[in-house]
Amino acid sequence: MLLTCPWCGPRMESEFHCGGPAHLTRPPLTCSDDEWADYLLMRDNPAGPHRERWRHTYGCGQWFNVLRDTLTHEVTQTYRMGTAAGDVDE
């Protein structure tokens, strides 16, 4: 799989590490134990487009977001953390 780092350009997947789903909202400190456990342990397992965080571990070390199809592994979008994801049908 080829990933395009927003800072370094296209590189092989072996230079990166996946950090899990992107755009998760951490619950407030006042949340219940059940809410905290749900945040930590319960994740979607989608078949199709999915937003993920990736780190260019063996390159610039930066984190960025990826829109990747979990069925085909096709990467349709990469973008810097903190920027808008754009209009993508999910």
Side-chain angles (χ1 to χ4, degrees):
M1 186 166 64
L2 191 67
L3 290 173
T4 300
C5 173
W7 290 269
C8 304
R11 300 289 193 274
M12 295 302 297
E13 176 192 4
S14 58
E15 292 189 20
F16 301 91
H17 283 100
C18 184
H23 306 291
L24 293 178
T25 303
R26 186 179 182 146
L29 294 175
T30 57
C31 72
S32 69
D33 289 344
D34 288 339
E35 290 171 316
W36 183 246
D38 187 55
Y39 168 74
L40 290 177
L41 305 173
M42 302 305 290
R43 297 285 186 248
D44 292 334
N45 189 14
H50 182 62
R51 296 193 186 280
E52 302 167 326
R53 307 179 299 148
W54 284 75
R55 181 172 183 243
H56 194 178
T57 308
Y58 298 108
C60 64
Q62 295 290 324
W63 285 93
F64 61 97
N65 292 318
V66 171
L67 178 62
R68 181 180 67 87
D69 190 304
T70 60
L71 296 174
T72 64
H73 296 292
E74 178 186 7
V75 175
T76 55
Q77 190 178 33
T78 60
Y79 54 100
R80 294 180 182 202
M81 305 274 287
T83 59
D87 295 329
V88 179
D89 293 330
E90 293 188 77

